[in-house]
Each structure stands twice: as structure tokens, then as C-alpha cells.
Amino acid sequence: MKKTGKRWLKSGIALILILILAAGCGKKAEETTEAPTEPATTKAPPATLAPATTQAETEPETEAAPDGMVRSYLTGQWVPEEIGRRRPVSVIISNVLAAQPTYGLSHADVVYETPGEASAVRFVAFFEQYDDIKEIGSVRSARTYHAFIQKEFESIFFHYGQCEYARPYLEGGQCDCVNGVTGASEWAYHSMDDREAPHHHFTNSEEIKYAIDKLGYSTAYPENYTGHYQFVEDGESPSMPGATPANKITVGYVSNKPWFEYNAEDGLYYRYQFEEPHVDVGNDDVQLTYKNIILQVCNYEHYFDTDYLNIFMQGEGVGQYITDGQVIPVTWRKDGEWGVTHYYDSEGNEIKLNQGRTWVCIVRTERANRVEIE
């Protein structure tokens, strides 16, 4: 792959101002820590960015839909209506070294990579077509910000436990959860014999569908849901004002040291971590590839004197959108606590993604300078 000169990702004055807001570190706590007597805030700090421009209106779809097909809310591609208008499932997947290899990620249409305690990261993987997946996992516990992420796609949320700070948000009526520690362990999950606890919990298509039916969750999207992302139409490419080359992206996470490499022949970004290609062993060791990469820089704080993070998914911030071997700076803004996050280019227009799969990296403010783009 042909490479350009390396440059460190900078976010300029806006990022410096955001860094000032970052909270200090706390002490590590066990997941069984009792909830505090006073609730921790989930409100974002006062915004320091210039106000985002008004969201561009979504143009009505003009092309004729193939018989029985609709546009996927996750990829923008044509999919059968029974799949594209069925709520996706989302699964928390561990990504520490002891949890390798991961299973099922090659089937996910959207993946969020999120920081956790210390240097660990976890995935929130969204599956639109989940009818024939043999293994997904290992499945781990959720954090507060995972509840907000999964809600953006109106998913049915599979996780195996949670920190106490996340409990009010997972059990407050906004999330349809399948929680492995509250009765679902025997019929929504199974153990992988060659894995040690706590990395031995897995799920699959049969268990997912059984759990949804047993818990009586609706598989239909809410009537007012119109999707998360905007996508370009067939044969079009995204507008990329101020674009610069992006052939290799090193995200800067400490534990798994991930990066993406662009392949101009197929227009996809290939993922690597732990010094080797990131493959799905449950799907013939296929390497994970994505059409779109979004880097979303977020403020955060620690919950009281613990090591648990409260990442501010609300409010607004900065980031980058990467596709077709190019990167542009973006700003992001979320529609309220439980709403959808929108991304805007330097001209104030909401970006339209390339059709295909998307990987989103949540980057803590003080670690944004570790991101490299070549």
C-alpha cells in the first residue's frame, strides 16, 4: 500500500479547550461497588465549541426501491424489508488480550470501540442480520455510556452485567436489555469451554431470537424512528471539504494498539490489533473491514473515587470522518440525552456516509493527540 508522510492528528484550539474540561483519575473499584448515595451527573460540561449549524434537511429518497427491499438504517444499502425494518441487536464484546480471539464481529454492520477502566476497551457491536451467526463474544458488562450508544440505533441490548452506575439507565425504561446476571444466563447465553471466567460468556442467533421472544420485546422500530446516519445514494461519493490523505489510521488505544489500513483496490479499511490482522475466528478467520471510520472525541470524568468512566456522549465535540482514503475534520452534536448523534463537516453540513459498514472510535480528550493518520 502506498503511504504518504506521517502527521499527528491535531484538533487545534477547539481540542485544547476541550482538554481543559477533562476530569482527573480516581481509584479502581470492583463491579460490585454499591451505587453512591447521590447520583452522578450524566450532563455534559458547558460546550466550548462554536455553535453547530442547523442540521441539513434530509432529502426524500428519489430512486425506486427494488421489490421487497428498503434502505438499511445501519449501512444505507438495499436489504430485504423484513431485515431492514427489524430492530438490530447490540452486544457488548470484550477486547482485552485474555478475551482473544473475538467472535462474530465480521457480521456487525456498525461497531463502537469505547475506552473502559485503565487501558481496556470494549465493543458495542450492532447486528442487523442476526439469523445465522454461530458465536458472538465474549459478552461482558455494560457501562453508562453504552446505554446511550445502543439507544441511538433503537437496538435490543445484550450484555452480561453492568457497573452499578449504569443500572438506573439500563433499567429506567429506555433500554430493552437481555442481561446475563438477571436471569437470562441460562437461555440467552452459553459458556465457551476453552475460556476462563469472566471471558467465557457467548451468545448466538438461536439464543438471541429465543431471548427476544421470551422477554416479549418488539422487533419493530418505533414509528418516529428515521435512522441514525445519512448515506450517499448509489454511485455517489461523500462530500469531503478540506480532505487530506488517510491511508493508515492508528487510534492510540494503549491495550490493543489498533490500526486501520486502506486498500484502494476495494475501497475498504482493514483492521489490525495486538500486532496482527483482526480476524473473526467464527467466520473462517476473515479480516474485519469497514467503509467508514469515525473518530469521536469526548470529554469524560470518573465516577466519584472509582476508576469507572462517565464518558459524555451528550453535548457536542470534535472528531474526524475517514473514507475512500481521505479524512476531514468534523464536529458532532447529540439530540438530547437519548437522541441521535449528528456529524457536521467544516461547511456546517451534516455528513453523508459511504454505503457500507462503519467503525466508530470513542477517543478520550487527553488521548486525542495519540491518534496518527498517514
Side-chain angles (χ1 to χ4, degrees), residues 23-36 40-41 115-120 122 140-146 160-167 299-312 364:
C25 296
K27 298 178 182 178
K28 188 174 182 180
E30 300 295 329
E31 285 196 8
T32 55
T33 302
E34 294 183 1
T41 179
E117 296 77 55
S119 61
R122 289 185 183 177
R140 289 302 309 276
S141 57
R143 302 293 180 261
T144 305
Y145 41 95
H146 296 147
Y160 211 100
Q162 68 284 310
C163 70
E164 285 298 318
Y165 303 103
R167 189 181 297 276
N299 294 320
Y300 75 100
E301 67 180 7
H302 286 267
Y303 277 109
F304 300 93
D305 61 347
T306 77
D307 203 30
Y308 288 115
L309 299 178
N310 182 19
I311 296 177
F312 295 122
R364 291 162 54 179

Side-chain angles (χ1 to χ4, degrees), residues 91-95 102-103 105 122-123 125 127 136-139:
V91 184
I92 295 289
I93 298 177
S94 178
N95 196 42
T102 54
Y103 283 73
L105 281 174
R122 289 185 183 177
F123 303 133
F127 302 86
I136 300 174
S138 65
V139 184

Side-chain angles (χ1 to χ4, degrees), residues 72-77 88-93 103-114 122-130 133 136 146 148-157 221 225 227-231 260 271 288-296 313 321 340-341 343 353-362:
S72 165
Y73 288 144
L74 275 66
T75 67
Q77 297 169 325
V89 299
S90 55
V91 184
I92 295 289
I93 298 177
Y103 283 73
L105 281 174
S106 65
H107 298 278
D109 301 289
V110 176
V111 179
Y112 277 68
E113 189 168 16
T114 66
R122 289 185 183 177
F123 303 133
V124 189
F126 293 85
F127 302 86
E128 185 172 60
Q129 209 288 66
Y130 53 81
I133 307 175
I136 300 174
H146 296 147
F148 298 125
I149 290 171
Q150 68 83 30
K151 181 64 175 178
E152 297 202 31
F153 298 86
E154 292 291 348
S155 69
I156 299 171
F157 189 31
Y221 281 104
Y225 187 72
H228 188 304
Y229 302 128
Q230 294 189 31
F231 295 94
F260 299 84
R271 180 175 165 85
L288 305 184
T289 60
Y290 300 89
K291 190 64 177 177
N292 306 292
I293 300 173
I294 296 174
L295 307 181
Q296 182 174 336
M313 305 303 299
Y321 170 50
V340 167
T341 301
Y343 302 90
L353 304 184
N354 257 318
Q355 295 180 27
R357 292 174 174 165
T358 299
W359 189 284
V360 183
C361 293
I362 301 299

Side-chain angles (χ1 to χ4, degrees), residues 168-188:
Y169 303 95
L170 295 169
E171 300 177 355
Q174 292 284 355
C175 302
D176 285 345
C177 296
V178 183
N179 189 347
V181 301
T182 57
S185 60
E186 295 183 0
W187 38 265

